[in-house]
Amino acid sequence: MNKSKIGVIKLLVILLAVFASCEEEIIVTPSLITEEVIYLSGERVRLLGRVITTQNVNANDHGFYVAENEAFNQPLIISLGEKTTPGRFIGETEVLNIESTYYAKSFINVGGEIQFGNVLQLTTLSPEVQSFAPNNGPVGTIITLTGKNFTSDTRILIGDRPAEIQRIEFESRITAKIPTAGTAPRENVTVIVQGKEIILSQQFEYTTGAFSKLANPPSSIRLNENIFFQDNEDLYLGLGSDGNQSLNSKIWKYNLGNEQWTEASYQGDPLWLAFSTNNFFGGGAKEVIAPYVTSRDFWKIQNGNFEKLPDLPFESIESLSFETDENLYVIGGLLGRNTFKYSKSSGEWASINPIPFSANKSDLHFTHKNKLYVTNSGDKQIFLFDPETEAWSLFSTYPGDIVSGSGFGVSIGDRVYVGMNNRSLQVWELNMISGNWVKKNDFIGTPAARNVGVYSNAGFIYLVRRLGATGILEFWKFDPNGL
Amino acid sequence: MNMLKRLIYILLIIPISCIDPYKIDIPQGAQLLTVDGFITTDPGPHLIRLTRSDTYGSVFEGLIRPVIRATVGIRDSEGNVTFLNELANDGIYATPEGFMARVGVSYSLQIDLQNGKSYTSLPERVESVPQIDSLSYQSVKFNTNDRLTDLIGVQVFAHFRDPSDQTNFYYWRNGPSTFVLVANPELHTLSPNHPTNPRGPDPKDCCATCYVQDESRIQRFTLASDDNFNGLSQRLPVLFIEDDGLRFKQTYRAEIQQISVSSDAHRFLRLIEQQTNLTGSVFDNPPANIRGNIISLDDPDEVVLGYFMAGSVDKKQVYIEKNKLEFLQTPRIIPDDCLTVSGAQLSPPSDWNP
């Protein structure tokens, strides 16, 4: 054989061996998918992407592009850093604008070459407020707003004052602290989300009720278990005891105009635990200590003068009393649950339906539109007495503290204000139209006192309070709508 | 020489008889957050249970502890969040009254833990579920490893028509079931310690029949997808109720819930089914942690167990009568008043209508 031919064959065999042993490296291009939007709110989006490949990726960076245009000009880049293995990845951003359309796509940067996934379109959601509670309370009340798609810059205004936002949970529940009050008790609640103002249909009502202390009555006036009544701007109180064991035979008058305390011209006997209305008083006892020596004295008050009427046909100690245009009613007391009606026109007394539970004048009670409302101290239930039918019926339940007696109840317009039993600072407002109870600001003085005189004038309530066992009197003015 | 041989044998035996115990160092398992939650189109309350897993071992090795005082919410695709209330510091959070999932809406679970960590689930879209047209049942008997005892019970079948215009993933589970508990108060005997007549007859006048809710510790379920029957009417076995000698003495009422779930939830349940059916044979799938759809927002690599599911549900009840069953287990005798059985009551449920 020709040597050259053998050489060629050898060369071919060698080349064949060389090329046959070289395995070409297969480069697999990973597939990149922008799978779905797994969370979308007003400002936040979470995107799910996936790298599908059979081998490691060794990417320098991966993540998402988000932009307001499909061309992805000036995109927001969610960079998740290096990625070596295939699989899912999640990116999040929370700097989007509400109610805006965006485009998003996943990316992967391998060796400087950026590969993109498919494009998803998304529209950020609108914020909405559904409710808030409580809708009333004092300064510093923590309110909770529920809604959806709140952003991190959400602000809440009460009137024009910002409430301190304490927490935003899942972009849908905000807790905030009510700021100091403005000039009005009821204020609009405004929620501002990325500049979008949402004014709630429901207003926030500040707890109102301002107490101011007036000059004390003269120290010579010391009272307990007394009577009180009112004739326009003249406020009367007296009789009862002096706080010790001595009866008091005097009645004093305070004039709201000249702010002077003077002694009224009462010439009758002292009465202890007598009943009183603005036009009548009577009954009670002639001695401070038990056993009671009852009095049947019965007096009419007219223009600051006192006229003695025929004696009561019954005994009465610490009875409740109220009057309508036609009648005076004397109810219950320490001697039983009997109820008596006095006709102003005929001067006749009649016995009517007894009160369904034991009550006396220290139990929380008030009158409104010629009807009497009395609280059963045992269960806080308020019973209504309707003079038209002379029947008692359950009306409501007092939400405040009863503790012990001597609270006050005053009706002004369609609202009734009750509270401040002995050792209780609470005052409550009852809307007689809606039946809603709203707590007022607490009394700012000492709770260990009893109301010995309660009056109202020009929308204000005046309270004379006896401090503990000392018998010293304080004089307070309460503005139910004061801030 | 003989002495030497004996000594050698003895020396050989000593080391052979000594066994060193082999200690396996089981690595301390991580306390993984575990989420178990399911919401449906039924009125709630729907329950989400949060626990922490622990190392597998002896009884006191690791205790599964509830995750308490978390803030848990269910967010829909419109941004509405429903906050759940923790029932009693036991890691179980309940949806408020009136909450129910809506078909066509996606839901995700949001969790904020006390330690500041946040978790979310991938969204689960609620797809409609076809109605159960009817339920039927059949008495069945299987051989068991014990040659003397067969497994006897009732197989319940669901009849429904699969819609052709959508891919359906089905999940059936049993709802609250009730049966008539038949007792024999006339066979009641005195206590063995009775001073005069131990074990003597002491028949009671009441009560022979009561109603009891079947409390099963294990939630039985069946899965199917419509790959093989898309658009066709189906009769599928969805529940097996074992005859324990008490259930089928008179009437048993079974409730079947037919639920549509997402494909991912179906895959998760299928893996759960595989894991719970491990028998220890060489043909079993290897045991493994099944990844769910809960993600840590602070650490994407954190392993979170469990799955948050959302689905629409259709329910139906079937009354299984004893006289229609071919196979019955040997009846168990309760020689006492049936009211002595826990949970038994004399009056049937208000909707009992066999």
Side-chain angles (χ1 to χ4, degrees):
Chain A
M1 188 177 273
N2 192 334
K3 277 188 177 179
S4 63
K5 283 183 180 175
I6 293 169
V8 170
I9 291 167
K10 280 181 179 174
L11 183 63
L12 286 172
V13 169
I14 290 166
L15 284 172
L16 186 66
V18 168
F19 284 107
S21 64
C22 289
E23 194 174 317
E24 191 177 343
E25 189 182 351
I26 302 168
I27 298 170
V28 179
T29 306
S31 294
L32 184 61
I33 302 171
T34 316
E35 281 201 327
E36 65 174 308
V37 176
I38 60 172
Y39 184 98
L40 181 64
S41 65
E43 64 177 358
R44 188 188 304 259
V45 65
R46 274 183 211 132
L47 295 156
L48 182 66
R50 185 193 288 245
V51 179
I52 303 172
T53 180
T54 55
Q55 57 193 33
N56 281 347
V57 185
N58 297 322
N60 304 329
D61 195 7
H62 72 296
F64 297 91
Y65 275 38
V66 180
E68 288 183 277
N69 50 73
E70 210 165 353
F72 285 90
N73 294 328
Q74 296 180 321
L76 168 75
I77 300 173
I78 304 170
S79 174
L80 301 175
E82 292 180 355
K83 186 170 181 63
T84 54
T85 55
R88 282 175 161 176
F89 54 93
I90 294 171
E92 179 185 71
T93 182
E94 52 188 43
V95 294
L96 305 184
N97 296 321
I98 57 170
E99 301 165 357
S100 302
T101 298
Y102 288 90
Y103 298 87
K105 61 182 178 182
S106 53
F107 79 91
I108 185 167
N109 182 344
V110 181
E113 187 181 335
I114 299 179
Q115 182 186 342
F116 291 103
N118 53 305
V119 177
L120 297 180
Q121 184 180 336
L122 55 103
T123 302
T124 52
L125 303 177
S126 302
E128 188 180 307
V129 184
Q130 287 148 357
S131 64
F132 76 97
N135 63 4
N136 63 75
V139 173
T141 297
I142 302 297
I143 60 169
T144 303
L145 285 94
T146 53
K148 59 184 182 182
N149 304 315
F150 297 134
T151 56
S152 53
D153 71 342
T154 300
R155 291 187 300 139
I156 297 173
L157 299 181
I158 308 296
D160 58 357
R161 301 169 310 285
E164 180 192 328
I165 291 186
Q166 300 197 319
R167 198 176 174 197
I168 302 178
E169 295 170 289
F170 300 149
E171 302 181 323
S172 67
R173 187 162 71 182
I174 303 177
T175 47
K177 194 175 186 180
I178 291 295
T180 52
T183 53
R186 293 181 184 83
E187 299 266 27
N188 279 338
V189 179
T190 308
V191 179
I192 304 171
V193 183
Q194 286 189 357
K196 180 177 181 177
E197 287 193 4
I198 304 168
I199 300 174
L200 278 65
S201 58
Q202 197 177 21
Q203 290 184 311
F204 181 83
E205 183 174 352
Y206 279 93
T207 299
T208 52
F211 286 90
S212 52
K213 194 169 183 299
L214 305 179
N216 283 354
S219 58
S220 57
I221 306 176
R222 298 206 172 192
L223 288 170
N224 191 22
E225 311 296 8
N226 56 296
I227 61 166
F228 62 86
F229 47 89
Q230 181 177 359
D231 181 12
N232 295 315
E233 289 195 337
D234 291 332
L235 318 180
Y236 292 85
L237 80 172
L239 304 185
S241 73
D242 63 356
N244 294 315
Q245 300 296 314
S246 303
L247 285 170
N248 176 41
S249 59
K250 292 178 181 174
I251 295 176
W252 289 271
K253 179 176 78 174
Y254 177 80
N255 184 271
L256 289 169
N258 62 25
E259 300 179 357
Q260 295 296 314
W261 287 93
T262 54
E263 197 175 318
S265 58
Y266 175 68
Q267 300 298 322
D269 292 331
L271 299 173
W272 187 63
L273 290 171
F275 68 80
S276 64
T277 66
N278 282 344
N279 293 300
F280 299 94
F281 66 89
K286 293 177 180 173
E287 299 291 340
V288 173
I289 54 172
Y292 303 119
V293 179
T294 57
S295 167
R296 297 199 178 206
D297 287 358
F298 183 39
W299 291 84
K300 182 178 180 183
I301 311 157
Q302 202 163 27
N303 301 325
N305 297 314
F306 302 94
E307 177 190 352
K308 194 164 188 305
L309 298 176
D311 281 356
L312 299 171
F314 55 89
E315 294 177 326
S316 150
I317 302 279
E318 207 177 4
S319 296
L320 279 158
S321 56
F322 92 110
E323 60 180 294
T324 61
D325 292 340
E326 296 84 22
N327 301 310
L328 164 71
Y329 296 86
V330 179
I331 301 162
L334 297 184
L335 303 181
R337 297 192 285 117
N338 291 336
T339 301
F340 300 92
K341 179 174 77 174
Y342 174 76
S343 168
K344 292 181 184 178
S345 56
S346 68
E348 296 293 323
W349 284 95
S351 177
I352 60 171
N353 269 340
I355 184 169
F357 54 92
S358 295
N360 58 55
K361 72 175 186 178
S362 73
D363 288 312
L364 208 56
H365 65 280
F366 57 89
T367 59
H368 181 75
K369 290 189 175 173
N370 284 332
K371 290 175 183 168
L372 175 69
Y373 300 79
V374 185
T375 308
N376 183 348
S377 296
D379 57 12
K380 296 188 182 181
Q381 288 189 328
I382 299 175
F383 283 80
L384 155 67
F385 175 71
D386 185 352
E388 293 287 327
T389 58
E390 296 181 351
W392 292 88
S393 58
L394 182 62
F395 171 70
S396 181
T397 301
Y398 177 58
D401 294 335
I402 289 286
V403 196
S404 60
S406 300
F408 76 85
V410 173
S411 169
I412 300 174
D414 59 4
R415 308 289 169 106
V416 169
Y417 303 92
V418 290
M420 286 175 62
N421 286 281
N422 185 24
R423 301 189 184 279
S424 169
L425 299 172
Q426 291 184 359
V427 181
W428 288 81
E429 177 188 278
L430 171 61
N431 184 326
M432 295 299 285
I433 296 171
S434 67
N436 284 344
W437 289 93
V438 174
K439 192 170 183 294
K440 311 300 284 185
N441 284 324
D442 283 347
F443 177 57
I444 56 175
T446 175
R450 290 177 180 272
N451 300 307
V452 296
V454 180
Y455 318 90
S456 70
N457 183 265
F460 300 109
I461 295 170
Y462 296 87
L463 302 167
V464 180
R465 290 169 63 79
R466 183 176 67 86
L467 295 180
T470 64
I472 295 173
L473 301 183
E474 283 186 344
F475 196 22
W476 289 86
K477 180 182 177 184
F478 175 59
D479 176 4
N481 297 313
L483 286 168
Chain B
M1 190 63 186
N2 280 340
M3 282 293 289
L4 185 63
K5 276 185 179 176
R6 284 177 188 166
L7 185 64
I8 289 168
Y9 288 143
I10 289 167
L11 286 173
L12 279 172
I13 288 167
I14 288 171
I16 288 169
S17 63
C18 291
I19 298 172
D20 286 331
Y22 179 62
K23 289 183 181 175
I24 304 171
D25 289 328
I26 301 172
Q28 186 70 29
Q31 295 193 325
L32 305 176
L33 175 67
T34 308
V35 179
D36 177 15
F38 205 142
I39 60 168
T40 68
T41 48
D42 254 4
H46 304 287
L47 304 179
I48 307 291
R49 186 175 183 193
L50 304 184
T51 52
R52 285 222 174 261
S53 66
D54 212 322
T55 308
Y56 181 79
S58 67
V59 176
F60 299 105
E61 185 102 14
L63 295 172
I64 294 174
R65 297 176 197 281
V67 175
I68 61 173
R69 289 186 220 162
T71 305
V72 181
I74 293 171
R75 185 179 190 276
D76 68 22
S77 45
E78 294 159 5
N80 298 302
V81 176
T82 303
F83 287 86
L84 280 71
N85 306 308
E86 190 172 5
L87 292 180
N89 270 3
D90 55 0
I92 297 175
Y93 299 82
T95 56
E97 196 176 337
F99 173 84
M100 59 179 84
R102 289 177 292 144
V103 172
V105 177
S106 296
Y107 294 88
S108 58
L109 186 69
Q110 315 277 308
I111 302 167
D112 278 354
L113 299 187
Q114 283 270 296
N115 61 11
K117 287 190 170 181
S118 300
Y119 300 83
T120 184
S121 74
L122 295 177
E124 284 280 294
R125 185 180 156 86
V126 178
E127 302 291 353
S128 60
V129 65
Q131 271 191 337
I132 303 173
D133 295 328
S134 62
L135 295 171
S136 62
Y137 60 90
Q138 184 182 327
S139 184
V140 290
K141 179 162 76 171
F142 303 104
N143 295 326
T144 63
N145 292 335
D146 181 356
R147 291 182 184 179
L148 299 175
T149 312
D150 290 331
L151 178 64
I152 294 174
V154 173
Q155 188 79 60
V156 180
F157 297 86
H159 302 248
F160 64 98
R161 185 177 186 84
D162 178 71
S164 58
D165 57 347
Q166 67 183 73
T167 305
N168 296 92
F169 298 93
Y170 295 97
Y171 168 53
W172 291 275
R173 63 181 184 185
N174 57 313
S177 301
T178 307
F179 65 92
V180 179
L181 179 73
V182 180
N184 298 85
E186 73 281 3
L187 300 179
H188 184 252
T189 56
L190 293 169
S191 147
N193 302 323
H194 194 275
T196 57
N197 191 13
R199 297 186 194 281
D202 180 32
K204 287 186 175 178
D205 295 335
C206 188
C207 296
T209 56
C210 293
Y211 295 83
V212 182
Q213 187 156 323
D214 195 359
E215 303 282 358
S216 176
R217 285 192 303 114
I218 300 168
Q219 174 73 53
R220 288 160 286 187
F221 67 91
T222 307
L223 299 168
S225 66
D226 64 356
D227 292 344
N228 299 322
F229 55 79
N230 188 35
L232 301 175
S233 291
Q234 283 300 302
R235 174 183 180 268
L236 291 180
V238 293
L239 177 66
F240 173 75
I241 309 164
E242 186 183 347
D243 185 355
D244 62 352
L246 284 177
R247 289 186 176 121
F248 301 111
K249 288 176 90 172
Q250 199 184 90
T251 306
Y252 186 99
R253 184 177 74 178
E255 181 182 291
I256 302 296
Q257 297 178 350
Q258 178 167 289
I259 304 168
S260 71
V261 292
S262 67
S263 60
D264 286 342
H266 185 264
R267 179 183 151 277
F268 177 83
L269 289 166
R270 178 71 71 195
L271 293 171
I272 291 284
E273 188 182 39
Q274 286 175 4
Q275 295 286 309
T276 54
N277 288 336
L278 295 182
T279 59
S281 83
V282 292
F283 302 107
D284 280 343
N285 292 308
N289 274 346
I290 304 167
R291 293 296 293 265
N293 65 344
I294 312 291
I295 305 157
S296 167
L297 294 174
D298 306 290
D299 175 11
D301 296 327
E302 181 181 339
V303 176
V304 185
L305 302 179
Y307 203 98
F308 168 70
M309 293 182 209
S312 58
V313 61
D314 187 50
K315 297 187 290 191
K316 231 179 186 59
Q317 293 175 337
V318 60
Y319 290 86
I320 300 167
E321 301 291 347
K322 174 194 174 187
N323 53 17
K324 293 181 182 171
L325 300 179
E326 185 182 352
F327 309 110
L328 283 170
Q329 196 64 267
T330 307
R332 277 163 56 193
I333 303 296
I334 300 174
D336 205 341
D337 178 359
C338 63
L339 286 172
T340 56
V341 175
S342 173
Q345 54 185 35
L346 283 177
S347 51
S350 57
D351 58 345
W352 183 265
N353 184 24

